[in-house]
Amino acid sequence: MRPRLAVFRSNRFISAQLIDDSEGKTIAAAHGREFKGPQSVQSKAVGSAIAKAATSAGITSAVFD
């Protein structure tokens, strides 16, 4: 089963989580607070960070939520 990629965007930040629904656990997460700059820069950095975390966890595909 593929994990679910949940993305949330507020007025200031963007965040992403990889969630395993069968166990009810978050596998990896990234948040825009960790990165400086406007939201466009934050979103690119969050995408790179969640992709790196997914690769290190052995995840090759996810379902977008």
Coordinates of all heavy atoms in Angstrom, one line a residue:
M1 N 0.8 -1.2 0.0 CA 0.0 0.0 0.0 C 0.9 1.2 0.0 O 1.9 1.3 0.7 CB -0.9 0.0 1.2 CG -1.8 1.2 1.3 SD -3.0 1.0 2.6 CE -4.1 2.2 2.1
R2 N 0.5 2.2 -0.8 CA 1.3 3.5 -0.9 C 0.8 4.4 0.2 O -0.4 4.5 0.6 CB 1.0 4.1 -2.2 CG 1.6 3.3 -3.4 CD 1.5 4.0 -4.7 NE 0.1 4.1 -5.0 CZ -0.4 4.7 -6.1 NH1 0.4 5.2 -6.9 NH2 -1.7 4.7 -6.4
P3 N 1.8 5.2 0.8 CA 1.4 6.2 1.8 C 0.7 7.4 1.1 O 0.8 7.6 -0.1 CB 2.7 6.6 2.4 CG 3.7 6.3 1.3 CD 3.2 5.1 0.6
R4 N 0.0 8.1 2.0 CA -0.7 9.3 1.5 C 0.1 10.6 1.7 O 0.7 10.7 2.8 CB -2.0 9.4 2.3 CG -2.9 10.6 2.0 CD -4.2 10.4 2.7 NE -4.2 10.1 4.1 CZ -4.4 10.9 5.1 NH1 -4.8 12.1 4.9 NH2 -4.4 10.5 6.3
L5 N 0.2 11.4 0.7 CA 0.9 12.7 0.8 C -0.1 13.8 1.1 O -0.9 14.1 0.2 CB 1.7 13.0 -0.5 CG 2.4 14.3 -0.5 CD1 3.4 14.5 0.5 CD2 3.0 14.5 -1.9
A6 N -0.1 14.3 2.3 CA -1.0 15.4 2.6 C -0.3 16.7 2.6 O 0.8 16.8 3.3 CB -1.6 15.1 4.0
V7 N -0.8 17.7 1.9 CA -0.2 19.0 1.8 C -1.2 20.0 2.3 O -2.3 20.0 2.0 CB 0.2 19.3 0.3 CG1 0.8 20.7 0.2 CG2 1.1 18.3 -0.2
F8 N -0.6 20.9 3.1 CA -1.5 22.0 3.7 C -0.8 23.3 3.4 O 0.4 23.5 3.6 CB -1.7 21.8 5.2 CG -2.4 23.0 5.8 CD1 -3.8 23.1 5.7 CD2 -1.7 23.9 6.5 CE1 -4.5 24.1 6.2 CE2 -2.4 25.0 7.1 CZ -3.8 25.1 6.9
R9 N -1.6 24.3 3.0 CA -1.0 25.6 2.7 C -1.8 26.7 3.5 O -3.1 26.7 3.3 CB -1.1 26.0 1.2 CG -0.5 27.3 0.8 CD -0.5 27.6 -0.6 NE -1.9 27.8 -1.1 CZ -2.5 29.0 -1.2 NH1 -1.9 30.0 -0.8 NH2 -3.7 29.0 -1.6
S10 N -1.2 27.4 4.3 CA -1.8 28.6 5.0 C -1.4 29.8 4.3 O -0.7 29.8 3.2 CB -1.4 28.6 6.4 OG -0.1 29.0 6.6
N11 N -1.8 31.0 4.8 CA -1.4 32.3 4.2 C 0.1 32.5 4.3 O 0.7 33.3 3.6 CB -2.1 33.4 4.9 CG -3.6 33.4 4.5 OD1 -3.9 32.9 3.5 ND2 -4.4 34.0 5.4
R12 N 0.8 31.9 5.3 CA 2.2 32.1 5.5 C 3.1 30.9 5.2 O 4.3 31.1 4.9 CB 2.5 32.6 7.0 CG 1.8 33.9 7.3 CD 2.0 34.3 8.7 NE 3.4 34.4 9.0 CZ 3.9 34.2 10.2 NH1 3.1 34.0 11.2 NH2 5.2 34.3 10.5
F13 N 2.6 29.7 5.4 CA 3.5 28.5 5.4 C 2.9 27.4 4.5 O 1.7 27.5 4.2 CB 3.8 28.0 6.8 CG 4.5 28.9 7.7 CD1 3.9 29.5 8.7 CD2 5.8 29.3 7.4 CE1 4.5 30.4 9.6 CE2 6.5 30.1 8.3 CZ 5.8 30.7 9.3
I14 N 3.7 26.4 4.2 CA 3.2 25.2 3.5 C 3.8 24.1 4.3 O 5.0 24.1 4.8 CB 3.6 25.2 2.0 CG1 3.0 24.1 1.3 CG2 5.1 25.2 1.8 CD1 2.9 24.2 -0.2
S15 N 3.1 23.0 4.4 CA 3.6 21.8 5.0 C 3.2 20.5 4.3 O 2.2 20.6 3.5 CB 3.1 21.7 6.5 OG 1.7 21.5 6.5
A16 N 4.0 19.5 4.4 CA 3.7 18.2 3.8 C 4.0 17.1 4.7 O 4.9 17.1 5.5 CB 4.5 18.1 2.5
Q17 N 3.1 16.0 4.6 CA 3.3 14.8 5.5 C 3.1 13.6 4.6 O 2.2 13.6 3.8 CB 2.3 14.8 6.6 CG 2.4 15.8 7.6 CD 1.4 15.6 8.7 OE1 0.3 15.0 8.5 NE2 1.6 16.2 9.9
L18 N 3.9 12.6 4.9 CA 3.6 11.2 4.3 C 3.0 10.4 5.4 O 3.7 10.2 6.5 CB 5.0 10.6 3.8 CG 5.5 11.1 2.5 CD1 6.9 10.6 2.2 CD2 4.6 10.7 1.4
I19 N 1.8 9.9 5.2 CA 1.1 9.2 6.2 C 0.8 7.8 5.8 O 0.3 7.5 4.7 CB -0.3 9.9 6.5 CG1 0.0 11.4 6.9 CG2 -1.1 9.2 7.6 CD1 -1.2 12.3 6.8
D20 N 1.1 6.8 6.7 CA 0.7 5.4 6.6 C -0.6 5.2 7.2 O -0.7 5.1 8.5 CB 1.8 4.5 7.2 CG 1.5 3.1 6.9 OD1 0.5 2.7 6.3 OD2 2.3 2.2 7.4
D21 N -1.7 5.1 6.5 CA -3.0 5.0 7.0 C -3.3 3.6 7.7 O -4.1 3.5 8.5 CB -4.1 5.3 6.0 CG -4.2 6.8 5.6 OD1 -4.0 7.6 6.5 OD2 -4.4 7.1 4.4
S22 N -2.6 2.6 7.2 CA -2.8 1.3 7.8 C -2.4 1.2 9.3 O -3.0 0.5 10.1 CB -2.1 0.2 7.0 OG -0.8 0.4 7.0
E23 N -1.3 2.0 9.6 CA -0.8 2.0 11.0 C -1.2 3.3 11.7 O -1.0 3.4 12.9 CB 0.7 1.8 11.0 CG 1.2 0.5 10.5 CD 2.7 0.3 10.7 OE1 3.3 1.0 11.5 OE2 3.2 -0.5 10.0
G24 N -1.7 4.3 10.9 CA -2.1 5.6 11.5 C -0.9 6.4 12.0 O -1.0 7.1 13.0
K25 N 0.3 6.3 11.3 CA 1.5 7.0 11.7 C 2.0 7.9 10.6 O 1.8 7.6 9.4 CB 2.6 6.0 12.0 CG 2.3 5.2 13.3 CD 3.4 4.3 13.6 CE 3.1 3.5 14.9 NZ 4.3 2.6 15.2
T26 N 2.6 9.0 11.0 CA 3.3 9.9 10.0 C 4.7 9.3 9.8 O 5.5 9.1 10.7 CB 3.3 11.3 10.6 OG1 2.0 11.8 10.8 CG2 4.1 12.2 9.6
I27 N 5.0 9.1 8.5 CA 6.3 8.5 8.2 C 7.3 9.7 8.1 O 8.5 9.5 8.6 CB 6.2 7.8 6.8 CG1 5.2 6.7 6.9 CG2 7.6 7.3 6.4 CD1 4.8 6.1 5.6
A28 N 7.0 10.8 7.4 CA 7.9 11.9 7.3 C 7.1 13.2 7.2 O 5.9 13.1 6.8 CB 8.7 11.7 6.0
A29 N 7.7 14.3 7.6 CA 7.0 15.6 7.5 C 8.0 16.7 7.2 O 9.2 16.6 7.6 CB 6.3 15.9 8.8
A30 N 7.6 17.7 6.6 CA 8.4 18.9 6.4 C 7.5 20.2 6.5 O 6.3 20.1 6.1 CB 9.0 18.9 5.0
H31 N 8.0 21.2 7.0 CA 7.2 22.4 7.2 C 8.0 23.7 6.7 O 9.2 23.7 6.8 CB 6.9 22.6 8.7 CG 5.7 23.6 8.9 ND1 5.9 24.9 8.9 CD2 4.4 23.4 9.1 CE1 4.8 25.5 9.1 NE2 3.8 24.6 9.3
G32 N 7.3 24.6 6.2 CA 7.9 25.9 5.7 C 8.6 26.7 6.7 O 9.4 27.5 6.4
R33 N 8.3 26.5 8.0 CA 8.9 27.3 9.1 C 10.4 27.0 9.1 O 11.2 27.8 9.5 CB 8.4 26.9 10.4 CG 7.0 27.5 10.7 CD 6.6 27.1 12.1 NE 6.6 25.7 12.3 CZ 5.6 25.0 12.8 NH1 4.6 25.6 13.3 NH2 5.7 23.7 13.0
E34 N 10.8 25.9 8.6 CA 12.2 25.5 8.6 C 13.0 26.2 7.5 O 14.3 26.2 7.6 CB 12.3 24.0 8.3 CG 11.6 23.1 9.3 CD 11.4 21.7 8.9 OE1 12.0 21.3 7.8 OE2 10.7 21.0 9.5
F35 N 12.4 26.9 6.6 CA 13.1 27.6 5.5 C 12.7 29.0 5.4 O 11.6 29.4 5.6 CB 12.7 26.9 4.2 CG 12.8 25.4 4.2 CD1 11.8 24.6 4.4 CD2 14.1 24.8 4.1 CE1 11.9 23.2 4.4 CE2 14.3 23.5 4.2 CZ 13.2 22.6 4.3
K36 N 13.7 29.9 5.1 CA 13.5 31.3 5.0 C 13.0 31.7 3.6 O 13.3 30.9 2.7 CB 14.8 32.0 5.3 CG 15.4 31.8 6.7 CD 14.7 32.7 7.7 CE 15.4 32.4 9.0 NZ 14.8 33.1 10.1
G37 N 12.4 32.8 3.5 CA 12.0 33.3 2.2 C 10.5 33.3 1.9 O 9.7 32.9 2.8
P38 N 10.1 33.7 0.8 CA 8.7 33.8 0.4 C 8.1 32.3 0.3 O 8.8 31.4 0.2 CB 8.6 34.5 -0.9 CG 10.0 34.4 -1.4 CD 10.9 34.3 -0.3
Q39 N 6.8 32.3 0.2 CA 6.1 31.0 0.1 C 6.6 30.1 -1.1 O 6.6 28.9 -1.0 CB 4.6 31.1 0.1 CG 3.9 29.9 0.5 CD 2.4 30.2 0.7 OE1 1.8 31.1 0.1 NE2 1.8 29.4 1.5
S40 N 6.9 30.8 -2.2 CA 7.3 30.0 -3.4 C 8.7 29.3 -3.1 O 8.9 28.2 -3.5 CB 7.5 30.9 -4.6 OG 8.4 31.9 -4.4
V41 N 9.6 30.0 -2.4 CA 10.8 29.3 -2.0 C 10.6 28.2 -1.0 O 11.2 27.2 -1.0 CB 11.8 30.4 -1.5 CG1 13.1 29.8 -0.9 CG2 12.1 31.4 -2.5
Q42 N 9.7 28.5 0.0 CA 9.4 27.5 1.0 C 8.8 26.3 0.4 O 9.2 25.1 0.8 CB 8.4 28.1 2.0 CG 8.9 29.1 2.9 CD 7.8 29.7 3.8 OE1 6.8 29.0 4.0 NE2 8.0 30.8 4.4
S43 N 7.9 26.4 -0.6 CA 7.3 25.3 -1.2 C 8.3 24.4 -1.9 O 8.2 23.2 -1.9 CB 6.1 25.7 -2.1 OG 6.6 26.5 -3.2
K44 N 9.2 25.0 -2.6 CA 10.2 24.2 -3.3 C 11.1 23.5 -2.3 O 11.4 22.3 -2.5 CB 11.1 25.1 -4.2 CG 10.4 25.6 -5.4 CD 11.3 26.5 -6.2 CE 10.6 27.1 -7.4 NZ 11.4 28.0 -8.1
A45 N 11.5 24.1 -1.2 CA 12.3 23.5 -0.2 C 11.5 22.4 0.6 O 12.1 21.3 0.8 CB 12.8 24.6 0.8
V46 N 10.3 22.6 0.8 CA 9.5 21.6 1.5 C 9.3 20.4 0.6 O 9.4 19.2 1.0 CB 8.1 22.1 1.9 CG1 7.1 21.0 2.3 CG2 8.2 23.1 3.0
G47 N 9.1 20.6 -0.7 CA 9.0 19.5 -1.7 C 10.3 18.7 -1.7 O 10.3 17.5 -1.7
S48 N 11.4 19.4 -1.8 CA 12.7 18.7 -1.8 C 13.0 17.9 -0.5 O 13.4 16.8 -0.5 CB 13.9 19.7 -2.0 OG 13.8 20.3 -3.2
A49 N 12.6 18.5 0.6 CA 12.8 17.9 1.9 C 11.9 16.6 2.1 O 12.4 15.6 2.6 CB 12.5 18.9 3.1
I50 N 10.7 16.7 1.7 CA 9.8 15.5 1.8 C 10.2 14.4 0.8 O 10.1 13.3 1.2 CB 8.3 15.9 1.7 CG1 7.4 14.9 2.3 CG2 7.9 16.2 0.3 CD1 7.3 14.8 3.8
A51 N 10.7 14.8 -0.3 CA 11.2 13.8 -1.3 C 12.4 13.1 -0.7 O 12.6 11.9 -0.9 CB 11.5 14.5 -2.6
K52 N 13.3 13.9 -0.1 CA 14.5 13.3 0.5 C 14.2 12.3 1.6 O 14.7 11.2 1.7 CB 15.5 14.4 0.9 CG 16.8 13.9 1.4 CD 17.7 15.1 1.8 CE 19.0 14.6 2.3 NZ 19.9 15.7 2.6
A53 N 13.2 12.8 2.5 CA 12.8 11.9 3.6 C 12.1 10.6 3.1 O 12.3 9.6 3.6 CB 11.9 12.7 4.5
A54 N 11.3 10.8 2.0 CA 10.6 9.6 1.4 C 11.6 8.6 0.9 O 11.5 7.4 1.1 CB 9.6 10.0 0.4
T55 N 12.6 9.1 0.2 CA 13.6 8.3 -0.4 C 14.4 7.5 0.7 O 14.7 6.3 0.6 CB 14.6 9.1 -1.3 OG1 13.9 9.8 -2.3 CG2 15.6 8.2 -2.0
S56 N 14.8 8.2 1.7 CA 15.5 7.6 2.8 C 14.7 6.6 3.6 O 15.2 5.6 4.2 CB 16.1 8.6 3.8 OG 15.0 9.3 4.5
A57 N 13.3 6.7 3.5 CA 12.4 5.8 4.2 C 12.1 4.6 3.2 O 11.3 3.7 3.6 CB 11.1 6.5 4.6
G58 N 12.6 4.6 2.0 CA 12.3 3.6 1.0 C 11.0 3.7 0.3 O 10.5 2.7 -0.3
I59 N 10.4 4.9 0.3 CA 9.2 5.1 -0.4 C 9.4 5.6 -1.8 O 10.2 6.6 -2.0 CB 8.3 6.1 0.4 CG1 8.0 5.6 1.7 CG2 7.0 6.5 -0.4 CD1 7.4 6.6 2.7
T60 N 8.8 5.0 -2.8 CA 9.1 5.4 -4.2 C 7.8 6.0 -4.8 O 7.9 6.7 -5.9 CB 9.5 4.2 -5.1 OG1 8.5 3.2 -5.0 CG2 10.8 3.7 -4.6
S61 N 6.6 5.8 -4.2 CA 5.4 6.4 -4.8 C 4.4 6.7 -3.6 O 4.5 6.1 -2.6 CB 4.7 5.5 -5.8 OG 4.3 4.3 -5.2
A62 N 3.6 7.6 -3.8 CA 2.6 8.0 -2.8 C 1.3 8.5 -3.5 O 1.3 8.8 -4.7 CB 3.1 9.2 -2.0
V63 N 0.2 8.5 -2.7 CA -1.1 9.0 -3.2 C -1.2 10.4 -2.7 O -1.1 10.7 -1.5 CB -2.2 8.1 -2.7 CG1 -3.6 8.6 -3.1 CG2 -2.0 6.6 -3.2
F64 N -1.5 11.3 -3.6 CA -1.7 12.7 -3.3 C -3.1 12.9 -2.7 O -4.1 12.5 -3.2 CB -1.5 13.6 -4.5 CG -1.6 15.1 -4.2 CD1 -0.5 15.7 -3.5 CD2 -2.7 15.8 -4.5 CE1 -0.6 17.0 -3.2 CE2 -2.8 17.1 -4.2 CZ -1.7 17.8 -3.6
D65 N -3.1 13.6 -1.5 CA -4.4 13.9 -0.8 C -4.6 15.4 -0.8 O -3.8 16.2 -0.3 CB -4.3 13.3 0.6 CG -5.6 13.6 1.3 OD1 -6.6 13.9 0.7 OD2 -5.6 13.6 2.6

